[in-house]
Amino acid sequence: MDVLDLTRLQFAVVTIYHYFFVPLSISLAATAAGLQLTWLRTGDDKYRDLTKFVGKLLIVTFAVGVVTGLVQEFQFGMGWSSFARFYGDVFGPTLAIEGMLAFFLEATFLALWYFGWDRLPRKVHAATIVVVALGTVMSAFIILAANSFMQNPVAYTLDPVTGRARLDDFGALLLNKVNLAAFPHTLAGALMAGGSLLLAIGVWRLRAAGEAGFRTLARLGAWLTVAGGALTALTGDHLGKVITEVQPMKMAAAEALYATTTGAPFSVFALGSPDGGEPFLSVEIPKLLSILAAGSPGATVQGLDDLQAQYAAQYGPGSYIPMVPVAFWTFRLMIGIGMLAAAVAAYYLWSTRKGRRTHPLVLRFLPLIPILPAAANTFGWIFTETARQPWLAFGISRVADGISPGLTRGEVLASLIGFAVVYGILAVVWLRLVRHLSRQPLAPAPAAEPAAEKIPAPVY
């Protein structure tokens, strides 16, 4: 691997690992806020205990997410300084607002919430966790605005002297059509990630201890996973149409569609490399790709060959076709694994209705369900970023032009190994902390009554 490939690999490792914790933080914060508001409304102490439990999971996840997120910003200076110089005027305001406003908002009010139990008035205390939840959502929106510029550059002009992208309208950057479509899709995926974690912990504790509160936690997690799955499908449909409009090459790569086709089918499964030839085996749904791409079964979807010729004429000689096998399979794995997670959660809800017990085999494997949304989110981001290649910012900046000058393979490899080791340690720490918290009872044991003082019998 050359310097460019190693630098891309390093950024992929750092980004994917960080994103394991981002959707969990978003969903756990919202769930803790909802549970605490429910406790205020009902007065049922079960919801207070669940709030404290989910809040502890949030604190552990938030802490690891902060550590891994800081490396993200270092990456631009370490490996991508040329891109940072070009993109800094656009990307700088988003990082500043996310770091100085959203992050500190979350950290400050999370501390107030944790230390404010029995110290702050109940409504004020509940407001602190609501602010944390809003902060995580705000942070996601701002960072996605920066990423959406890379998918669909808007609100900028190129400085004729420096050649740098100059931000013209921050509001237009935030309201990028890609951001408005990607943001709800990201929140829906986060709902699945957090819900599956709560479902796994609830089922695991029910098998071990049978505490009633964990049944509520498991069913809540299952409902969140199912709702997140439904919303992911709806928002993903809209996002696909927006992406087809601004990056038609990405959607063509997702289907390995080389020839422009009217009423294009969607391959559910194919054997053989999608290289433009006929696969050995293909299971297709007629006209589905046209529906996904343009909302009409008779719509025409541009093929890779026509788009390559168009881009070569527009941007100059070179290959503008991304890694088609990666785009093809990550797109299907994202959809298939996400649907599987929602289906498993729905089965759990159905099988445990009215106090029933689900099949023991299902209970044995349900604690592994958080792997599914995590994998779906990961494949989704791999598809989003690799299918945009060879562009860093689509149409204006290529990947090969963005890495730091003078960077050597040894430097990148050393930092990649260092990050991998540190992240491996953090993964073990997070898993052990979550396991430790999950072993604790939801409700504290009642305090033992003091023994009655013995009064000596009188002596006559």
Side-chain angles (χ1 to χ4, degrees), residues 222-397:
W223 277 114
L224 291 175
T225 306
V226 171
L231 291 172
T232 300
L234 292 174
T235 56
D237 177 68
H238 176 58
L239 178 59
K241 293 176 174 59
V242 173
I243 290 298
T244 302
E245 178 185 348
V246 300
Q247 287 186 52
M249 181 71 82
K250 180 178 290 187
M251 187 55 72
E255 180 52 29
L257 185 71
Y258 280 77
T260 298
T261 305
T262 299
F266 180 85
S267 299
V268 178
F269 179 80
L271 278 180
S273 299
D275 56 0
E278 290 294 327
F280 307 120
L281 172 66
S282 180
V283 179
E284 296 181 344
I285 300 178
K287 303 185 178 182
L288 179 59
L289 182 62
S290 290
I291 296 174
L292 294 175
S296 171
T300 298
V301 180
Q302 288 182 285
L304 293 167
D305 292 335
D306 288 344
L307 287 168
Q308 166 63 26
Q310 175 186 325
Y311 288 176
Q314 182 176 357
Y315 301 115
S319 174
Y320 298 91
I321 298 178
M323 296 179 287
V324 176
V326 174
F328 184 88
W329 289 111
T330 53
F331 188 69
R332 279 148 186 78
L333 289 169
M334 171 189 67
I335 296 172
I337 294 175
M339 291 175 61
L340 177 60
V344 171
Y347 174 77
Y348 176 79
L349 288 172
W350 178 82
S351 63
T352 57
R353 67 194 187 282
K354 298 180 181 180
R356 301 177 184 177
R357 292 180 179 272
T358 191
H359 195 280
L361 187 63
V362 175
L363 292 177
R364 180 179 295 275
F365 289 101
L366 262 176
L368 299 177
I369 193 175
I371 296 174
L372 298 179
N377 281 328
T378 298
F379 285 124
W381 275 113
I382 292 174
F383 168 72
T384 298
E385 300 306 305
T386 60
R388 190 185 66 244
Q389 304 300 314
W391 300 107
L392 270 174
F394 184 79
I396 59 175
S397 176

Side-chain angles (χ1 to χ4, degrees), residues 5-50:
D5 290 335
L6 282 173
T7 307
R8 290 178 62 193
L9 177 61
Q10 182 190 68
F11 198 87
V13 169
V14 171
T15 303
I16 289 171
Y17 188 89
H18 172 61
Y19 199 73
F20 287 148
F21 305 98
V22 171
L24 289 177
S25 296
I26 294 172
S27 55
L28 291 176
T31 303
L35 286 168
Q36 187 156 353
L37 293 175
T38 303
W39 172 52
L40 284 181
R41 184 175 59 84
T42 64
D44 189 339
D45 287 343
K46 174 180 66 175
Y47 295 108
R48 176 202 61 196
D49 299 333
L50 286 171

Side-chain angles (χ1 to χ4, degrees), residues 8 10 38 61 64 79 82 113 134 169 199 210 255 305 336 356 422:
R8 290 178 62 193
Q10 182 190 68
T38 303
T61 303
V64 177
S82 295
W113 176 83
L134 293 175
D169 187 341
L199 170 59
E255 180 52 29
D305 292 335
R356 301 177 184 177
V422 172

Side-chain angles (χ1 to χ4, degrees), residues 202 206 211-220 348 352-356:
L206 274 174
E211 192 173 344
F214 282 106
R215 173 179 170 80
T216 302
L217 185 72
R219 290 188 63 81
L220 172 62
Y348 176 79
T352 57
R353 67 194 187 282
K354 298 180 181 180
R356 301 177 184 177

Side-chain angles (χ1 to χ4, degrees), residues 28-116:
L28 291 176
T31 303
L35 286 168
Q36 187 156 353
L37 293 175
T38 303
W39 172 52
L40 284 181
R41 184 175 59 84
T42 64
D44 189 339
D45 287 343
K46 174 180 66 175
Y47 295 108
R48 176 202 61 196
D49 299 333
L50 286 171
T51 301
K52 291 184 175 182
F53 177 77
V54 174
K56 291 176 182 178
L57 294 176
L58 169 63
I59 290 172
V60 170
T61 303
F62 180 78
V64 177
V66 168
V67 174
T68 57
L70 289 175
V71 180
Q72 289 284 89
E73 300 186 20
F74 291 137
Q75 283 284 297
F76 285 99
M78 294 169 54
W80 302 95
S81 62
S82 295
F83 182 58
R85 280 192 295 271
F86 166 77
Y87 187 34
D89 291 346
V90 177
F91 201 49
T94 58
L95 283 180
I97 292 176
E98 195 274 337
M100 300 302 294
L101 177 61
F103 167 69
F104 281 108
L105 193 72
E106 297 165 48
T108 301
F109 281 87
L110 187 58
L112 287 172
W113 176 83
Y114 182 75
F115 294 106

